[in-house]
Amino acid sequence: MKLKAMETFKNIVTTEVEFLRFAIPMSVLKICQLAIPFVTMIFAGSLGTEVLAGVGLANTSYNIVVYSLKMGYLTVIDSYGPAIYGGGNKSQLSNVIIKTLLQASVLCI
């Protein structure tokens, strides 16, 4: 009984360590991505008020237009993916994923 519980505990610890190996770098990356507009505003503020206003307008425009469109395209996978997979059309699912990711990639360029 103790041996089985110990093996289960070791499996849980191993799983958590593997999870943290992926989660920590991804968390650091997301924090860095969120810091980019903040750092840009600090840099632009040192150049003057007109530059700061332009950067603020550019950041706002990006967040409203590009980010919302990109997330809209990626939501297609979230909406249609389970329906297509549940219907047994796995080839159509791969087509939807590829088309959606390509369209979202074009918006990122």
Side-chain angles (χ1 to χ4, degrees), residues 23-36 67 71:
I24 291 173
M26 290 174 59
S27 300
V28 170
L29 176 67
K30 187 61 179 174
I31 290 169
C32 291
Q33 286 176 341
L34 291 173
I36 289 173
Y67 188 72
M71 291 309 294

Side-chain angles (χ1 to χ4, degrees), residues 11-89:
N11 288 339
I12 291 172
V13 169
T14 304
T15 304
E16 292 301 318
V17 168
E18 291 296 319
F19 174 74
L20 288 176
R21 284 186 55 216
F22 289 109
I24 291 173
M26 290 174 59
S27 300
V28 170
L29 176 67
K30 187 61 179 174
I31 290 169
C32 291
Q33 286 176 341
L34 291 173
I36 289 173
F38 178 70
V39 172
T40 306
M41 293 294 271
I42 290 173
F43 179 71
S46 68
L47 296 177
T49 57
E50 291 178 358
V51 176
L52 181 63
V55 169
L57 183 62
N59 282 340
T60 302
S61 299
Y62 173 80
N63 287 336
I64 291 172
V65 177
V66 176
Y67 188 72
S68 61
L69 285 173
K70 183 175 61 172
M71 291 309 294
Y73 277 121
L74 294 176
T75 303
V76 170
I77 296 174
D78 189 37
S79 302
Y80 290 136
I84 294 171
Y85 185 79
N89 254 342

